[in-house]
mmCIF file of all heavy atoms in Angstrom:
data_model
loop_
_atom_site.group_PDB
_atom_site.id
_atom_site.type_symbol
_atom_site.label_atom_id
_atom_site.label_comp_id
_atom_site.label_asym_id
_atom_site.label_seq_id
_atom_site.Cartn_x
_atom_site.Cartn_y
_atom_site.Cartn_z
ATOM 1 N N ARG A 1 122.305 54.089 -1.567
ATOM 2 C CA ARG A 1 122.903 55.350 -1.275
ATOM 3 C C ARG A 1 124.378 55.234 -0.978
ATOM 4 O O ARG A 1 124.795 54.282 -0.292
ATOM 5 C CB ARG A 1 122.243 55.987 -0.077
ATOM 6 C CG ARG A 1 120.804 56.322 -0.218
ATOM 7 C CD ARG A 1 120.284 57.112 1.027
ATOM 8 N NE ARG A 1 118.870 57.352 0.928
ATOM 9 C CZ ARG A 1 118.231 58.161 1.782
ATOM 10 N NH1 ARG A 1 118.907 58.781 2.749
ATOM 11 N NH2 ARG A 1 116.943 58.365 1.665
ATOM 12 N N PRO A 2 125.224 56.056 -1.542
ATOM 13 C CA PRO A 2 126.641 55.966 -1.186
ATOM 14 C C PRO A 2 126.862 56.289 0.290
ATOM 15 O O PRO A 2 126.181 57.166 0.841
ATOM 16 C CB PRO A 2 127.306 57.029 -2.084
ATOM 17 C CG PRO A 2 126.161 58.018 -2.403
ATOM 18 C CD PRO A 2 124.917 57.155 -2.445
ATOM 19 N N ARG A 3 127.738 55.559 0.883
ATOM 20 C CA ARG A 3 128.029 55.795 2.299
ATOM 21 C C ARG A 3 128.804 57.074 2.492
ATOM 22 O O ARG A 3 129.725 57.351 1.758
ATOM 23 C CB ARG A 3 128.833 54.619 2.883
ATOM 24 C CG ARG A 3 128.031 53.317 2.901
ATOM 25 C CD ARG A 3 128.678 52.294 3.806
ATOM 26 N NE ARG A 3 128.020 51.007 3.792
ATOM 27 C CZ ARG A 3 126.941 50.728 4.474
ATOM 28 N NH1 ARG A 3 126.376 51.649 5.210
ATOM 29 N NH2 ARG A 3 126.375 49.540 4.411
ATOM 30 N N SER A 4 128.385 57.862 3.446
ATOM 31 C CA SER A 4 129.082 59.124 3.761
ATOM 32 C C SER A 4 130.344 58.790 4.540
ATOM 33 O O SER A 4 130.531 57.716 5.055
ATOM 34 C CB SER A 4 128.179 60.035 4.581
ATOM 35 O OG SER A 4 127.939 59.472 5.858
ATOM 36 N N TRP A 5 131.228 59.822 4.683
ATOM 37 C CA TRP A 5 132.432 59.632 5.470
ATOM 38 C C TRP A 5 132.088 59.372 6.930
ATOM 39 O O TRP A 5 132.817 58.671 7.632
ATOM 40 C CB TRP A 5 133.320 60.861 5.364
ATOM 41 C CG TRP A 5 132.790 62.112 5.986
ATOM 42 C CD1 TRP A 5 132.008 63.063 5.358
ATOM 43 C CD2 TRP A 5 132.952 62.515 7.335
ATOM 44 N NE1 TRP A 5 131.666 64.053 6.272
ATOM 45 C CE2 TRP A 5 132.226 63.716 7.463
ATOM 46 C CE3 TRP A 5 133.598 61.998 8.446
ATOM 47 C CZ2 TRP A 5 132.148 64.442 8.702
ATOM 48 C CZ3 TRP A 5 133.515 62.679 9.636
ATOM 49 C CH2 TRP A 5 132.801 63.866 9.763
ATOM 50 N N THR A 6 130.932 59.917 7.359
ATOM 51 C CA THR A 6 130.535 59.647 8.759
ATOM 52 C C THR A 6 130.186 58.197 8.944
ATOM 53 O O THR A 6 130.599 57.588 9.941
ATOM 54 C CB THR A 6 129.295 60.536 9.105
ATOM 55 O OG1 THR A 6 129.599 61.916 8.884
ATOM 56 C CG2 THR A 6 128.868 60.334 10.564
ATOM 57 N N ASP A 7 129.404 57.626 7.989
ATOM 58 C CA ASP A 7 129.038 56.201 8.070
ATOM 59 C C ASP A 7 130.330 55.354 8.092
ATOM 60 O O ASP A 7 130.421 54.375 8.866
ATOM 61 C CB ASP A 7 128.146 55.818 6.902
ATOM 62 C CG ASP A 7 126.774 56.490 7.014
ATOM 63 O OD1 ASP A 7 126.361 56.821 8.118
ATOM 64 O OD2 ASP A 7 126.162 56.694 5.948
ATOM 65 N N ILE A 8 131.236 55.662 7.209
ATOM 66 C CA ILE A 8 132.463 54.893 7.086
ATOM 67 C C ILE A 8 133.286 54.972 8.386
ATOM 68 O O ILE A 8 133.799 53.970 8.894
ATOM 69 C CB ILE A 8 133.309 55.312 5.867
ATOM 70 C CG1 ILE A 8 132.535 55.046 4.570
ATOM 71 C CG2 ILE A 8 134.655 54.617 5.861
ATOM 72 C CD1 ILE A 8 133.182 55.624 3.332
ATOM 73 N N THR A 9 133.359 56.188 8.942
ATOM 74 C CA THR A 9 134.139 56.384 10.185
ATOM 75 C C THR A 9 133.485 55.603 11.340
ATOM 76 O O THR A 9 134.199 54.906 12.083
ATOM 77 C CB THR A 9 134.199 57.873 10.536
ATOM 78 O OG1 THR A 9 134.804 58.566 9.454
ATOM 79 C CG2 THR A 9 134.960 58.065 11.822
ATOM 80 N N VAL A 10 132.190 55.706 11.455
ATOM 81 C CA VAL A 10 131.487 54.999 12.538
ATOM 82 C C VAL A 10 131.577 53.485 12.389
ATOM 83 O O VAL A 10 131.871 52.764 13.337
ATOM 84 C CB VAL A 10 129.967 55.428 12.581
ATOM 85 C CG1 VAL A 10 129.215 54.513 13.510
ATOM 86 C CG2 VAL A 10 129.889 56.903 13.000
ATOM 87 N N LEU A 11 131.427 53.001 11.177
ATOM 88 C CA LEU A 11 131.553 51.547 10.962
ATOM 89 C C LEU A 11 132.986 51.078 11.261
ATOM 90 O O LEU A 11 133.176 49.999 11.852
ATOM 91 C CB LEU A 11 131.200 51.214 9.494
ATOM 92 C CG LEU A 11 129.708 51.321 9.170
ATOM 93 C CD1 LEU A 11 129.460 51.114 7.690
ATOM 94 C CD2 LEU A 11 128.843 50.291 9.978
ATOM 95 N N SER A 12 133.977 51.857 10.900
ATOM 96 C CA SER A 12 135.384 51.502 11.198
ATOM 97 C C SER A 12 135.616 51.443 12.708
ATOM 98 O O SER A 12 136.230 50.517 13.231
ATOM 99 C CB SER A 12 136.313 52.470 10.530
ATOM 100 O OG SER A 12 136.153 52.479 9.125
ATOM 101 N N LEU A 13 135.107 52.496 13.407
ATOM 102 C CA LEU A 13 135.237 52.516 14.861
ATOM 103 C C LEU A 13 134.504 51.353 15.505
ATOM 104 O O LEU A 13 134.988 50.752 16.471
ATOM 105 C CB LEU A 13 134.707 53.840 15.414
ATOM 106 C CG LEU A 13 135.578 55.076 15.109
ATOM 107 C CD1 LEU A 13 134.881 56.327 15.540
ATOM 108 C CD2 LEU A 13 136.946 54.955 15.775
ATOM 109 N N ALA A 14 133.294 51.038 14.950
ATOM 110 C CA ALA A 14 132.506 49.926 15.564
ATOM 111 C C ALA A 14 133.251 48.605 15.380
ATOM 112 O O ALA A 14 133.321 47.779 16.282
ATOM 113 C CB ALA A 14 131.173 49.882 14.864
ATOM 114 N N LEU A 15 133.820 48.371 14.183
ATOM 115 C CA LEU A 15 134.593 47.119 13.940
ATOM 116 C C LEU A 15 135.802 47.069 14.835
ATOM 117 O O LEU A 15 136.106 46.009 15.418
ATOM 118 C CB LEU A 15 134.966 47.063 12.476
ATOM 119 C CG LEU A 15 135.769 45.819 12.042
ATOM 120 C CD1 LEU A 15 134.996 44.525 12.298
ATOM 121 C CD2 LEU A 15 136.195 45.932 10.573
ATOM 122 N N THR A 16 136.505 48.184 14.981
ATOM 123 C CA THR A 16 137.673 48.235 15.844
ATOM 124 C C THR A 16 137.281 47.891 17.286
ATOM 125 O O THR A 16 137.993 47.182 17.997
ATOM 126 C CB THR A 16 138.350 49.591 15.756
ATOM 127 O OG1 THR A 16 138.732 49.858 14.412
ATOM 128 C CG2 THR A 16 139.611 49.643 16.642
ATOM 129 N N SER A 17 136.188 48.494 17.759
ATOM 130 C CA SER A 17 135.711 48.278 19.115
ATOM 131 C C SER A 17 135.377 46.805 19.329
ATOM 132 O O SER A 17 135.678 46.225 20.371
ATOM 133 C CB SER A 17 134.495 49.176 19.409
ATOM 134 O OG SER A 17 134.833 50.551 19.276
ATOM 135 N N ILE A 18 134.658 46.220 18.375
ATOM 136 C CA ILE A 18 134.300 44.810 18.490
ATOM 137 C C ILE A 18 135.536 43.911 18.595
ATOM 138 O O ILE A 18 135.579 43.023 19.441
ATOM 139 C CB ILE A 18 133.392 44.403 17.298
ATOM 140 C CG1 ILE A 18 132.007 45.105 17.398
ATOM 141 C CG2 ILE A 18 133.187 42.872 17.283
ATOM 142 C CD1 ILE A 18 131.177 44.932 16.155
ATOM 143 N N LEU A 19 136.495 44.157 17.709
ATOM 144 C CA LEU A 19 137.702 43.369 17.741
ATOM 145 C C LEU A 19 138.476 43.570 19.083
ATOM 146 O O LEU A 19 139.001 42.593 19.638
ATOM 147 C CB LEU A 19 138.625 43.760 16.586
ATOM 148 C CG LEU A 19 138.094 43.408 15.197
ATOM 149 C CD1 LEU A 19 139.007 43.963 14.119
ATOM 150 C CD2 LEU A 19 137.938 41.884 15.038
ATOM 151 N N LEU A 20 138.480 44.782 19.599
ATOM 152 C CA LEU A 20 139.124 45.056 20.865
ATOM 153 C C LEU A 20 138.426 44.370 22.004
ATOM 154 O O LEU A 20 139.084 43.793 22.884
ATOM 155 C CB LEU A 20 139.151 46.560 21.119
ATOM 156 C CG LEU A 20 139.959 47.064 22.333
ATOM 157 C CD1 LEU A 20 141.426 46.639 22.230
ATOM 158 C CD2 LEU A 20 139.877 48.571 22.479
ATOM 159 N N VAL A 21 137.141 44.361 21.985
ATOM 160 C CA VAL A 21 136.338 43.686 23.017
ATOM 161 C C VAL A 21 136.657 42.198 22.993
ATOM 162 O O VAL A 21 136.843 41.560 24.036
ATOM 163 C CB VAL A 21 134.838 43.949 22.843
ATOM 164 C CG1 VAL A 21 134.031 43.003 23.716
ATOM 165 C CG2 VAL A 21 134.521 45.403 23.185
ATOM 166 N N ILE A 22 136.629 41.590 21.794
ATOM 167 C CA ILE A 22 136.940 40.177 21.673
ATOM 168 C C ILE A 22 138.327 39.865 22.210
ATOM 169 O O ILE A 22 138.555 38.877 22.924
ATOM 170 C CB ILE A 22 136.774 39.728 20.219
ATOM 171 C CG1 ILE A 22 135.308 39.835 19.750
ATOM 172 C CG2 ILE A 22 137.279 38.301 20.022
ATOM 173 C CD1 ILE A 22 135.097 39.593 18.286
ATOM 174 N N TRP A 23 139.304 40.737 21.865
ATOM 175 C CA TRP A 23 140.663 40.508 22.367
ATOM 176 C C TRP A 23 140.728 40.563 23.876
ATOM 177 O O TRP A 23 141.429 39.730 24.498
ATOM 178 C CB TRP A 23 141.566 41.573 21.742
ATOM 179 C CG TRP A 23 142.982 41.476 22.216
ATOM 180 C CD1 TRP A 23 143.954 40.610 21.813
ATOM 181 C CD2 TRP A 23 143.594 42.318 23.192
ATOM 182 N NE1 TRP A 23 145.119 40.801 22.498
ATOM 183 C CE2 TRP A 23 144.956 41.889 23.368
ATOM 184 C CE3 TRP A 23 143.158 43.391 23.953
ATOM 185 C CZ2 TRP A 23 145.825 42.457 24.229
ATOM 186 C CZ3 TRP A 23 144.053 44.003 24.843
ATOM 187 C CH2 TRP A 23 145.371 43.537 24.994
ATOM 188 N N VAL A 24 140.057 41.534 24.513
ATOM 189 C CA VAL A 24 140.102 41.627 25.971
ATOM 190 C C VAL A 24 139.440 40.454 26.585
ATOM 191 O O VAL A 24 139.978 39.865 27.579
ATOM 192 C CB VAL A 24 139.354 42.911 26.419
ATOM 193 C CG1 VAL A 24 139.240 42.953 27.948
ATOM 194 C CG2 VAL A 24 140.112 44.162 25.963
ATOM 195 N N VAL A 25 138.301 39.983 26.039
ATOM 196 C CA VAL A 25 137.637 38.815 26.599
ATOM 197 C C VAL A 25 138.520 37.566 26.529
ATOM 198 O O VAL A 25 138.633 36.794 27.533
ATOM 199 C CB VAL A 25 136.279 38.568 25.872
ATOM 200 C CG1 VAL A 25 135.684 37.215 26.309
ATOM 201 C CG2 VAL A 25 135.299 39.666 26.150
ATOM 202 N N PHE A 26 139.192 37.371 25.376
ATOM 203 C CA PHE A 26 140.085 36.244 25.274
ATOM 204 C C PHE A 26 141.292 36.369 26.197
ATOM 205 O O PHE A 26 141.783 35.416 26.784
ATOM 206 C CB PHE A 26 140.533 36.024 23.828
ATOM 207 C CG PHE A 26 139.576 35.261 22.975
ATOM 208 C CD1 PHE A 26 138.685 35.856 22.118
ATOM 209 C CD2 PHE A 26 139.559 33.835 23.091
ATOM 210 C CE1 PHE A 26 137.792 35.112 21.351
ATOM 211 C CE2 PHE A 26 138.693 33.111 22.326
ATOM 212 C CZ PHE A 26 137.801 33.750 21.458
ATOM 213 N N SER A 27 141.790 37.591 26.324
ATOM 214 C CA SER A 27 142.966 37.838 27.203
ATOM 215 C C SER A 27 142.635 37.509 28.642
ATOM 216 O O SER A 27 143.468 37.049 29.388
ATOM 217 C CB SER A 27 143.442 39.282 27.052
ATOM 218 O OG SER A 27 143.849 39.540 25.741
ATOM 219 N N TYR A 28 141.349 37.778 29.044
ATOM 220 C CA TYR A 28 140.972 37.521 30.439
ATOM 221 C C TYR A 28 140.216 36.180 30.552
ATOM 222 O O TYR A 28 139.471 36.001 31.503
ATOM 223 C CB TYR A 28 140.123 38.683 30.961
ATOM 224 C CG TYR A 28 140.941 39.857 31.398
ATOM 225 C CD1 TYR A 28 141.441 40.787 30.456
ATOM 226 C CD2 TYR A 28 141.247 40.059 32.717
ATOM 227 C CE1 TYR A 28 142.249 41.855 30.843
ATOM 228 C CE2 TYR A 28 142.025 41.140 33.137
ATOM 229 C CZ TYR A 28 142.508 42.032 32.190
ATOM 230 O OH TYR A 28 143.282 43.098 32.607
ATOM 231 N N ARG A 29 140.392 35.342 29.556
ATOM 232 C CA ARG A 29 139.804 33.976 29.578
ATOM 233 C C ARG A 29 138.313 34.023 29.816
ATOM 234 O O ARG A 29 137.779 33.365 30.709
ATOM 235 C CB ARG A 29 140.507 33.140 30.656
ATOM 236 C CG ARG A 29 141.986 32.980 30.393
ATOM 237 C CD ARG A 29 142.640 32.087 31.433
ATOM 238 N NE ARG A 29 144.086 31.952 31.226
ATOM 239 C CZ ARG A 29 144.918 31.242 31.980
ATOM 240 N NH1 ARG A 29 144.437 30.630 33.043
ATOM 241 N NH2 ARG A 29 146.184 31.162 31.678
ATOM 242 N N GLY A 30 137.616 34.760 28.961
ATOM 243 C CA GLY A 30 136.145 34.802 29.011
ATOM 244 C C GLY A 30 135.571 35.777 30.058
ATOM 245 O O GLY A 30 134.357 35.823 30.240
ATOM 246 N N SER A 31 136.430 36.575 30.631
ATOM 247 C CA SER A 31 135.979 37.518 31.646
ATOM 248 C C SER A 31 136.301 38.953 31.197
ATOM 249 O O SER A 31 136.592 39.192 30.038
ATOM 250 C CB SER A 31 136.609 37.200 33.015
ATOM 251 O OG SER A 31 136.133 38.072 34.015
ATOM 252 N N TRP A 32 136.181 39.894 32.148
ATOM 253 C CA TRP A 32 136.518 41.274 31.879
ATOM 254 C C TRP A 32 137.137 41.889 33.101
ATOM 255 O O TRP A 32 136.738 41.568 34.207
ATOM 256 C CB TRP A 32 135.235 42.052 31.487
ATOM 257 C CG TRP A 32 135.486 43.402 30.878
ATOM 258 C CD1 TRP A 32 135.615 44.581 31.465
ATOM 259 C CD2 TRP A 32 135.637 43.631 29.449
ATOM 260 N NE1 TRP A 32 135.853 45.550 30.543
ATOM 261 C CE2 TRP A 32 135.855 45.024 29.298
ATOM 262 C CE3 TRP A 32 135.583 42.811 28.323
ATOM 263 C CZ2 TRP A 32 136.051 45.629 28.087
ATOM 264 C CZ3 TRP A 32 135.804 43.415 27.083
ATOM 265 C CH2 TRP A 32 136.041 44.784 26.961
ATOM 266 N N PRO A 33 138.117 42.771 32.935
ATOM 267 C CA PRO A 33 138.754 43.358 34.132
ATOM 268 C C PRO A 33 137.730 44.150 34.975
ATOM 269 O O PRO A 33 136.872 44.825 34.442
ATOM 270 C CB PRO A 33 139.819 44.272 33.551
ATOM 271 C CG PRO A 33 139.464 44.460 32.113
ATOM 272 C CD PRO A 33 138.740 43.245 31.682
ATOM 273 N N GLY A 34 137.871 44.039 36.289
ATOM 274 C CA GLY A 34 136.938 44.694 37.207
ATOM 275 C C GLY A 34 137.198 46.183 37.370
ATOM 276 O O GLY A 34 138.191 46.704 36.894
ATOM 277 N N TYR A 35 136.247 46.827 38.049
ATOM 278 C CA TYR A 35 136.363 48.260 38.287
ATOM 279 C C TYR A 35 137.611 48.569 39.131
ATOM 280 O O TYR A 35 138.334 49.504 38.848
ATOM 281 C CB TYR A 35 135.089 48.776 38.998
ATOM 282 C CG TYR A 35 135.128 50.244 39.332
ATOM 283 C CD1 TYR A 35 134.861 51.202 38.347
ATOM 284 C CD2 TYR A 35 135.423 50.670 40.656
ATOM 285 C CE1 TYR A 35 134.882 52.544 38.691
ATOM 286 C CE2 TYR A 35 135.487 51.998 40.941
ATOM 287 C CZ TYR A 35 135.185 52.953 39.979
ATOM 288 O OH TYR A 35 135.230 54.286 40.265
ATOM 289 N N ASP A 36 137.816 47.790 40.179
ATOM 290 C CA ASP A 36 138.971 48.048 41.046
ATOM 291 C C ASP A 36 140.281 47.904 40.257
ATOM 292 O O ASP A 36 141.254 48.638 40.552
ATOM 293 C CB ASP A 36 138.971 47.101 42.237
ATOM 294 C CG ASP A 36 137.863 47.429 43.206
ATOM 295 O OD1 ASP A 36 137.360 48.563 43.167
ATOM 296 O OD2 ASP A 36 137.494 46.555 44.014
ATOM 297 N N GLU A 37 140.340 46.970 39.358
ATOM 298 C CA GLU A 37 141.565 46.816 38.548
ATOM 299 C C GLU A 37 141.806 48.046 37.683
ATOM 300 O O GLU A 37 142.991 48.418 37.486
ATOM 301 C CB GLU A 37 141.399 45.601 37.600
ATOM 302 C CG GLU A 37 141.379 44.273 38.300
ATOM 303 C CD GLU A 37 141.204 43.110 37.339
ATOM 304 O OE1 GLU A 37 142.107 42.932 36.487
ATOM 305 O OE2 GLU A 37 140.178 42.431 37.355
ATOM 306 N N MET A 38 140.740 48.702 37.260
ATOM 307 C CA MET A 38 140.916 49.936 36.500
ATOM 308 C C MET A 38 141.472 51.062 37.348
ATOM 309 O O MET A 38 142.501 51.673 36.966
ATOM 310 C CB MET A 38 139.587 50.377 35.874
ATOM 311 C CG MET A 38 139.631 51.696 35.185
ATOM 312 S SD MET A 38 138.054 52.250 34.517
ATOM 313 C CE MET A 38 137.117 52.486 36.017
ATOM 314 N N VAL A 39 140.868 51.308 38.494
ATOM 315 C CA VAL A 39 141.281 52.504 39.281
ATOM 316 C C VAL A 39 142.657 52.342 39.903
ATOM 317 O O VAL A 39 143.417 53.318 39.975
ATOM 318 C CB VAL A 39 140.244 52.796 40.359
ATOM 319 C CG1 VAL A 39 138.910 53.240 39.756
ATOM 320 C CG2 VAL A 39 140.010 51.643 41.291
ATOM 321 N N VAL A 40 143.021 51.107 40.263
ATOM 322 C CA VAL A 40 144.391 50.946 40.817
ATOM 323 C C VAL A 40 145.457 51.030 39.753
ATOM 324 O O VAL A 40 146.645 51.237 40.086
ATOM 325 C CB VAL A 40 144.478 49.582 41.620
ATOM 326 C CG1 VAL A 40 143.535 49.573 42.762
ATOM 327 C CG2 VAL A 40 144.317 48.406 40.686
ATOM 328 N N SER A 41 145.040 50.866 38.461
ATOM 329 C CA SER A 41 146.012 50.932 37.374
ATOM 330 C C SER A 41 146.230 52.375 36.869
ATOM 331 O O SER A 41 147.174 52.595 36.076
ATOM 332 C CB SER A 41 145.543 50.054 36.211
ATOM 333 O OG SER A 41 145.448 48.696 36.599
ATOM 334 N N LEU A 42 145.389 53.283 37.266
ATOM 335 C CA LEU A 42 145.545 54.670 36.861
ATOM 336 C C LEU A 42 146.902 55.196 37.339
ATOM 337 O O LEU A 42 147.334 54.854 38.478
ATOM 338 C CB LEU A 42 144.437 55.559 37.417
ATOM 339 C CG LEU A 42 143.065 55.292 36.834
ATOM 340 C CD1 LEU A 42 141.995 56.050 37.671
ATOM 341 C CD2 LEU A 42 142.982 55.702 35.388
ATOM 342 N N PRO A 43 147.647 55.948 36.543
ATOM 343 C CA PRO A 43 147.271 56.549 35.247
ATOM 344 C C PRO A 43 147.795 55.791 34.032
ATOM 345 O O PRO A 43 148.156 56.403 33.030
ATOM 346 C CB PRO A 43 147.947 57.909 35.334
ATOM 347 C CG PRO A 43 149.237 57.644 36.057
ATOM 348 C CD PRO A 43 148.912 56.540 37.080
#
């Protein structure tokens, strides 16, 4: 079946999200920023 624009959009967003997650993990040396780090950084 040909992929619909919805499938293509979702797959593109999924790939972008995966790459972003990998980048954050490497940036934090295998960790992830905590909840407190998020709220004190707002806005």
Side-chain angles (χ1 to χ4, degrees):
R1 298 187 182 189
R3 295 195 183 278
S4 67
W5 67 269
T6 304
D7 293 334
I8 295 172
T9 301
V10 170
L11 289 173
S12 301
L13 290 173
L15 180 60
T16 302
S17 299
I18 292 170
L19 293 174
L20 186 60
V21 168
I22 293 172
W23 177 77
V24 172
V25 171
F26 274 101
S27 298
Y28 281 80
R29 299 182 181 180
S31 183
W32 195 269
Y35 178 80
D36 290 340
E37 292 179 63
M38 173 182 67
V39 293
V40 299
S41 299
L42 292 170

